[in-house]
Amino acid sequence: MNVIPRKRAIAGCTVLVMSLAAAAACGGHERHPLSARPYDAAKQVTLNAPTGSRKADPEKALEVRAKGKDGRITDVTAVDAAGRYLAGELAADGSRWRSTGPLAAGTRYTVKVATEDKGGAPGARVQTFETAPAKHTLKIELGPKAGTYGVGQPITAEFSEPVRTKEARAAVERALTVRSSPAMAGAWHWVDDKKAHYRPKEYWPAGATVQVHSNLQGVRLGDKLYGGAVEPLRLSIGDRIEAITDAGAHQMTVLRNGEVINTIPVTTGKPGFSTRNGVKVVLGKEYFVRMRGTSIGIPDGSSESYDLPVYYATRVTWSGEYVHAAPWSVGSQGWANVSHGCTGMSTGNAAWFFNTVREGDIVKVVNSLGSTMDPFGNGFGDWNLSWDKWQGGSALLEGAREGSSPADVARLQPQV
């Protein structure tokens, strides 16, 4: 019973040994060309980049060429000192590689070229060069100043030169990185050629940290215009303070992190001077302001003219809308709207509000006869745009699907 299985086992072992011997014979003679250490291809390729102390013109393309017919280029990578890759295109026959993206100014590039000879053996060449510094740079001022702000505070970027083309705006957006902890989806929105705002899809979370960094220095943005250095920015976000003013009910409800902490009788703008509806963001606080009707176009001596000392004034628009103490209208507070557009309350309530809120906190008005707060130009009305419309103002996200972010677009349309 055991004879036949043993013979089969012996025959199987013999075949296995012969197979291993054959494999050893195949592997023991000729080595594959790609297993060899790359040879020095310095004599096989040439770059149009200068050497030594000379600097390359960033306005000109980088080109790598194979010399003679002894080999061809298989791959080229060019990376600057900031880790940015230079896009390029390799000819099908491996005779030439040429950059398709612009060189950065005032930086150092490392170029790695891979080649192979007629026999398929790999070669390599590494060369470094520097580009000339930019003569014309775009300066960027980020805002607000470092500190602690409310959940509605947008990030602002003001530019020293107009940024008009979609390509240049996209380059700026890619370079101005906003990171928050916890992470939030957000986007830049171009207010005009010289200003952009950044906000998340929803208000910043209470207790978050927000950091803005730039990788724009040296990046080409137009005809001989390059990005300049930008100071990083770090913000802290405080409690979520929301003041919701119901102009129809003549009442303000103040919430901290979702819980009501005060309910205040108020008066808002009367007909003809109705307070703007919508979300506003606290711009600043002034203990004393002298308010004059002439500042909003009311002639001196007219029936609507006024000149009043005002205390505990919390500003929400640049044109002069405040939340402030109005002791002269206490009888109307909680009952009627009699102001010229501001939200008035008793001196005690105004002092409490003044001491409770900070820049970036939310002041929302509902049920007023007034128009809706403009998104830009008179303060921070950024939150009055839907998320879809906000994304429409981004050079990277224009027409993007709901919920997408610059990172999603980059994955779908890689930028180098």
Side-chain angles (χ1 to χ4, degrees), residues 33-310:
L34 293 179
S35 67
R37 182 187 295 273
Y39 60 85
D40 184 358
K43 295 182 179 180
Q44 202 172 46
V45 295
T46 181
L47 283 71
N48 68 341
T51 57
S53 61
R54 293 170 52 231
K55 290 180 171 52
D57 183 353
E59 295 286 317
K60 296 181 179 179
L62 175 65
E63 190 169 278
V64 184
R65 286 184 176 272
K67 294 193 295 185
K69 299 181 180 180
D70 294 335
R72 68 189 189 96
I73 301 167
T74 58
D75 189 35
V76 176
T77 59
V79 187
D80 71 8
R84 297 171 296 207
Y85 283 80
L86 180 64
E89 190 172 70
L90 179 63
D93 62 0
S95 62
R96 187 189 73 165
W97 179 94
R98 182 181 176 86
S99 63
T100 55
L103 288 164
T107 189
R108 183 181 184 86
Y109 275 92
T110 299
V111 184
K112 296 181 179 179
V113 185
T115 66
E116 66 177 20
D117 63 15
K118 290 183 177 179
R125 181 185 179 185
V126 178
Q127 181 173 325
T128 62
F129 69 92
E130 294 183 2
T131 54
K135 295 180 180 178
H136 190 193
T137 59
L138 178 74
K139 297 178 178 62
I140 302 177
E141 183 178 350
L142 296 175
K145 295 180 180 179
T148 301
Y149 294 86
V151 299
Q153 179 66 47
I155 307 297
T156 62
E158 297 192 19
F159 308 103
S160 60
E161 303 283 343
V163 183
R164 295 191 174 94
T165 69
K166 184 175 181 179
E167 293 75 17
R169 290 184 175 189
V172 170
E173 289 183 45
R174 281 193 294 270
L176 293 179
T177 304
V178 182
R179 291 190 173 90
S180 66
S181 179
M184 296 282 289
W188 288 99
H189 184 105
W190 289 81
V191 178
D192 55 40
D193 290 345
K194 297 185 72 174
K195 185 181 294 184
H197 287 190
Y198 183 100
R199 51 155 270 211
K201 182 180 179 180
E202 308 291 344
Y203 297 143
W204 300 109
T209 58
V210 183
Q211 298 183 73
V212 188
H213 294 278
S214 171
N215 194 26
L216 192 64
Q217 187 168 6
V219 173
R220 186 179 179 186
L221 300 172
D223 185 22
K224 298 183 179 180
L225 176 64
Y226 293 82
V230 182
E231 288 293 322
L233 175 65
R234 179 186 173 92
L235 304 179
S236 297
I237 305 300
D239 287 337
R240 177 169 173 155
I241 301 293
E242 300 170 85
I244 302 173
T245 300
D246 187 332
H250 318 295
Q251 179 174 283
M252 174 189 281
T253 303
V254 184
L255 301 93
R256 175 183 284 120
N257 299 326
E259 295 186 5
V260 176
I261 58 174
N262 205 350
T263 302
I264 302 170
V266 298
T267 183
T268 62
K270 60 187 175 181
F273 299 93
S274 296
T275 305
R276 298 170 184 83
N277 283 296
V279 178
K280 303 153 193 176
V281 173
V282 172
L283 301 174
K285 300 188 293 183
E286 301 163 58
Y287 172 70
F288 172 80
V289 178
R290 189 156 203 94
M291 293 189 177
R292 298 177 175 86
T294 52
S295 66
I296 59 171
I298 298 174
D300 268 335
S302 68
S303 60
E304 296 292 346
S305 178
Y306 61 88
D307 185 347
L308 296 167
V310 174

Side-chain angles (χ1 to χ4, degrees), residues 314-376:
T314 300
R315 182 188 284 270
V316 293
T317 75
W318 296 124
S319 63
E321 184 181 325
Y322 290 84
V323 177
H324 64 76
W328 53 85
S329 65
V330 168
S332 298
Q333 293 164 18
W335 298 97
N337 292 324
V338 298
S339 83
H340 288 90
C342 291
T343 298
M345 57 185 66
S346 71
T347 300
N349 283 329
W352 177 89
F353 186 82
F354 186 92
N355 291 322
T356 299
V357 301
R358 58 162 51 98
E359 288 183 46
D361 283 339
I362 299 299
V363 176
K364 183 178 182 179
V365 176
V366 299
N367 297 324
S368 172
L369 298 177
S371 58
T372 300
M373 167 78 168
D374 290 333
F376 311 109

